[in-house]
């Protein structure tokens, strides 16, 4: 297996102690979406490996360039064993740990909104900038962390309330349609992580832009491009869902605009719209960067030659280090626990953080990759190899000896 250069050596995990055995957890994924109808009317039966584990694949060293040396162990047994370890942690956790911590972060963000809008009334630079910073962080917490958790129904154990929160965070706050967001992210990205033509993160590539424009200027357009892309996707959903999405999108934008005019005291529509753009793009750079850093540049697979779930996720997903601002705004599952999230996507951010030692120890014990790298290292890698990673089609990884 190739991670495309010697840079992969820095992604290999450090050795840790072994983990003891414990009870069972069904394989990661969103079972509620299996066998459902896609937004365009097509069926999604058997699409993703995000459901129950399936047999195949050996328990060997699948790190770059290696061929399995140990006796092969069915992939189902690997995933089941890891699931049992994780289930032990989940069962021993309180509601506060499973859902309360993340709900409290979202609630605190809502409580900060009045302070942010009032700070923008000030004619002094420091309070005004504090207002911009506050509203920018709150916006990304609701639209990134809230929408991501809602798309996986990780905010609540109730499916009914999960649907309500999905509409609120994804459509009202993020200006995207629930059906398309859930289908593209949960079914395609999670089901076919790093599979060419499906879950290979190609939607984030804009090959007509050069590296510096893409990495440093293009993110500023995210608040404008997001609703435009969402509007284009509405033709793939039922008219009732499209109408609901349009109403939620309009309500979300108008509430933000109205508050800037009547609470923050902006004198003209253009100044209010400019402030909306500024706050909504405040963390757009790390948002774009995180989405490409954690998958692109790792092994890529053909649809008919992809490994099974536990290998697919250990090979094609990368964790970034803890960061207070991004942990709060994006959530642990998108930053330092992305591997854990791809293996167990229905768990909340806080639970992904809690199971991280178990997952990392298990993968290393089984000699599976546990990819980690720093933000600055990935940024430098993409600037150096932008043409290869973001413009040209990535090479397909050949898994010698385990297919």
């Amino acid at each position: 297996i190739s991670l495309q250069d010697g840079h992969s050596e820095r992604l290999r995990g450090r050795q840790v102690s072994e983990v003891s055995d414990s009870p069972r957890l069904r394989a990661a994924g969103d079972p509620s979406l299996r066998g459902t109808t896609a937004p365009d009317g097509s069926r999604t039966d058997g699409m993703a490996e995000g459901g129950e584990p399936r047999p195949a694949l050996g328990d060997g060293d699948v790190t770059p360039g290696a061929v399995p040396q140990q006796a092969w162990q069915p992939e189902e047994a690997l995933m089941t064993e890891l699931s049992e370890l994780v289930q032990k942690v989940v069962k021993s956790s309180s509601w506060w740990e499973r859902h309360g911590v993340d709900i409290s972060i979202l609630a605190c963000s809502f409580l900060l909104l009045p302070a942010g809008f009032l700070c923008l009334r000030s004619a002094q630079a420091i309070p005004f900038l504090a207002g911009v910073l506050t509203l920018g962080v709150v916006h990304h917490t609701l639209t990134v962390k809230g929408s991501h958790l809602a798309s996986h129904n990780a905010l609540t154990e109730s499916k009914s309330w999960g649907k309500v929160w999905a509409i609120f965070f994804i459509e009202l706050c993020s200006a995207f349609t629930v059906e398309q967001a859930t289908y593209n992210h949960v079914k395609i990205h999670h089901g076919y992580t790093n599979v060419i033509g499906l879950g290979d993160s190609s939607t984030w590539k804009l090959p007509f832009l050069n590296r510096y424009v893409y990495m440093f200027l293009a993110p500023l357009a995210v608040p404008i491009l997001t609703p435009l892309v969402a509007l284009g996707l509405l033709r793939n959903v039922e008219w009732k869902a499209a109408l609901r999405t349009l109403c939620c999108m309009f309500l979300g934008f108008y509430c933000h605009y109205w508050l800037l005019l009547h609470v923050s005291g902006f004198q003209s529509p253009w100044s209010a719209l400019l402030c909306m753009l500024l706050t909504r793009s405040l963390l757009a750079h790390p948002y774009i960067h995180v989405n490409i850093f954690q998958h692109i540049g790792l092994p890529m697979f053909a649809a008919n030659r992809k490994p099974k779930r536990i290998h697919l996720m250990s090979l094609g997903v990368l964790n970034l280090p803890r960061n207070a601002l991004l942990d709060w705004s994006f959530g642990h599952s998108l930053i330092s626990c992305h591997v854990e999230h791809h293996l167990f996507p229905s768990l909340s951010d806080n639970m992904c953080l809690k199971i991280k030692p178990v997952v990392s120890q298990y993968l290393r014990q089984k000699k599976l990759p546990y990819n980690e790298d720093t933000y600055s290292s990935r940024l430098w890698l993409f600037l150096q190899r932008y043409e290869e990673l973001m413009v040209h089609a990535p090479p397909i990884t050949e898994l010698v000896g385990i297919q």
Side-chain angles (χ1 to χ4, degrees), residues 189-203:
H189 174 64
H190 274 265
Y192 292 95
T193 301
N194 280 24
V195 173
I196 301 294
L198 291 168
D200 59 358
S201 302
S202 59
T203 54

Side-chain angles (χ1 to χ4, degrees), residues 57 79 96 117 155 162 175 208 237 281-282:
L57 282 194
M79 195 66 210
W96 173 257
F117 282 110
L155 282 171
F208 55 88
V237 302
S281 63
L282 186 70

Side-chain angles (χ1 to χ4, degrees), residues 145-174:
K145 180 184 176 72
S147 294
H148 187 232
L149 290 173
S151 70
H152 290 286
N153 198 32
L155 282 171
T156 175
E157 295 173 8
S158 166
K159 290 184 178 180
S160 299
W161 275 107
K163 178 67 173 179
V164 172
W165 290 125
I167 293 174
F168 177 79
F169 286 110
I170 298 175
E171 297 191 351
L172 186 69
C173 298
S174 305

Side-chain angles (χ1 to χ4, degrees), residues 21-339:
D21 55 352
S22 48
R24 171 172 304 188
L25 178 71
R26 282 176 70 100
D30 288 72
S32 61
L33 292 171
R34 298 182 66 203
T36 58
T37 302
D40 60 359
S42 62
R43 296 286 294 175
T44 59
D45 296 78
M47 290 183 57
E49 300 245 298
E52 299 172 357
R54 302 173 187 174
L57 282 194
D59 176 21
D61 188 349
V62 293
T63 49
V67 176
Q69 299 298 320
Q70 299 182 11
W72 286 15
Q73 179 178 348
E75 186 266 355
E76 181 177 3
L78 286 174
M79 195 66 210
T80 300
E81 186 178 8
L82 176 59
S83 297
E84 289 173 350
L85 296 172
V86 170
Q87 179 66 358
K88 180 178 180 181
V89 178
V90 173
K91 284 187 174 181
S92 65
S93 302
S94 64
W95 176 89
W96 173 257
E97 292 173 306
R98 294 195 310 272
H99 301 293
V101 172
D102 293 296
I103 291 175
S104 296
I105 291 174
L106 294 171
C108 286
S109 297
F110 278 112
L111 294 176
L112 287 172
L113 282 173
F117 282 110
L118 289 174
C119 282
L120 293 180
R121 296 181 63 92
S122 176
Q124 299 180 358
I126 293 179
F128 183 85
L129 291 176
V132 171
L133 177 63
T134 300
L135 292 184
V137 171
V138 168
H139 171 76
H140 285 85
T141 304
L142 300 181
T143 59
V144 180
K145 180 184 176 72
S147 294
H148 187 232
L149 290 173
S151 70
H152 290 286
N153 198 32
L155 282 171
T156 175
E157 295 173 8
S158 166
K159 290 184 178 180
S160 299
W161 275 107
K163 178 67 173 179
V164 172
W165 290 125
I167 293 174
F168 177 79
F169 286 110
I170 298 175
E171 297 191 351
L172 186 69
C173 298
S174 305
F176 217 85
T177 176
V178 166
E179 286 77 8
Q180 282 291 331
T182 304
Y183 176 77
N184 291 333
H185 180 71
V186 178
K187 295 298 295 186
I188 300 301
H189 174 64
H190 274 265
Y192 292 95
T193 301
N194 280 24
V195 173
I196 301 294
L198 291 168
D200 59 358
S201 302
S202 59
T203 54
W204 295 100
K205 296 181 180 181
L206 298 174
F208 55 88
L209 298 178
N210 70 49
R211 67 196 67 203
Y212 299 105
V213 172
Y214 179 86
M215 301 296 287
F216 302 112
L217 293 179
L220 298 175
V222 167
I224 299 173
L225 294 177
T226 298
L228 293 179
V229 171
L231 290 173
L233 293 174
L234 288 182
R235 66 180 183 274
N236 297 327
V237 302
E238 295 181 354
W239 70 269
K240 291 181 180 179
L243 181 61
R244 182 199 67 219
T245 299
L246 288 172
C247 292
C248 288
M249 289 172 63
F250 173 79
L251 182 60
F253 279 116
Y254 184 75
C255 286
H256 192 176
Y257 174 74
W258 188 91
L259 288 168
L260 288 173
L261 288 179
H262 295 87
V263 176
S264 299
F266 282 84
Q267 299 300 311
S268 72
W270 289 111
S271 61
L273 291 173
L274 183 61
C275 185
M276 285 179 64
L277 178 63
L278 179 60
T279 56
R280 288 171 178 250
S281 63
L282 186 70
L283 296 179
H285 287 82
Y287 174 71
I288 292 292
H289 294 169
V290 164
N291 275 285
I292 63 175
F293 288 174
Q294 293 179 315
H295 297 287
I296 299 176
L298 295 172
M300 311 297 287
F301 307 95
N304 62 344
R305 295 283 292 170
K306 62 183 174 66
K308 295 299 181 179
R309 178 174 182 77
I310 193 169
H311 296 80
L312 185 66
M313 301 311 174
S314 66
L315 287 164
V317 187
L318 177 142
N319 285 345
L320 295 170
R322 294 285 302 272
N323 179 287
L325 178 60
L326 299 185
D327 286 347
W328 177 278
S329 302
F330 295 173
H332 300 298
S333 62
L334 289 180
I335 306 300
S336 62
C337 304
H338 204 51
V339 175

